[in-house]
């Protein structure tokens, strides 16, 4: 499984885990989140911070994350159109 251990902002000694969804070659699945969901959460969080502590850097970072999300959504649309979404094919 694609699991990452993240350091909390205030180190407590305990790491937070994030696991990503993965479809295995044998057809089985490992449940988890997606890059798209992580980007959406990050965009939401930074928009909240930017509404309170706005700066150019936050605004640019939000725009770039929104762009990244848009390209991942375009990739998914293309994969669906070609009939390879959810398969181990390029």
């Amino acid at each position: 499984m694609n699991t990452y251990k993240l350091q909390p902002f205030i180190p407590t000694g305990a790491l937070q885990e994030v696991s990503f969804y993965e479809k295995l070659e044998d057809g089985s699945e490992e449940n988890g989140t997606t890059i798209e969901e992580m980007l959406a959460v990050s965009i939401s969080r930074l928009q909240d911070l930017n509404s309170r502590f706005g700066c150019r850097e936050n605004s640019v970072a939000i725009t770039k994350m929104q762009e990244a999300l848009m390209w991942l959504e375009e990739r998914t649309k293309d994969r669906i159109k070609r009939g390879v979404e959810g398969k181990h094919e390029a």
Side-chain angles (χ1 to χ4, degrees), residues 15 19 75:
L15 299 177
S19 297
R75 178 195 65 180

Side-chain angles (χ1 to χ4, degrees), residues 8 17 20 24 30 60 62 74 77:
E17 285 191 2
F20 287 90
L24 305 175
E30 296 282 343
V60 171
I62 291 165
E74 287 298 315
K77 288 178 193 173

Side-chain angles (χ1 to χ4, degrees), residues 13-48:
L15 299 177
Q16 296 176 330
E17 285 191 2
V18 175
S19 297
F20 287 90
Y21 170 83
E22 183 175 12
K23 185 160 194 154
L24 305 175
E25 288 190 37
D26 66 4
S28 64
E29 299 172 319
E30 296 282 343
N31 199 14
T33 192
T34 64
I35 294 170
E36 292 86 346
E37 285 295 313
M38 294 296 292
L39 278 168
V41 167
S42 297
I43 291 166
S44 178
R45 173 68 175 146
L46 195 50
Q47 285 173 329
D48 174 59

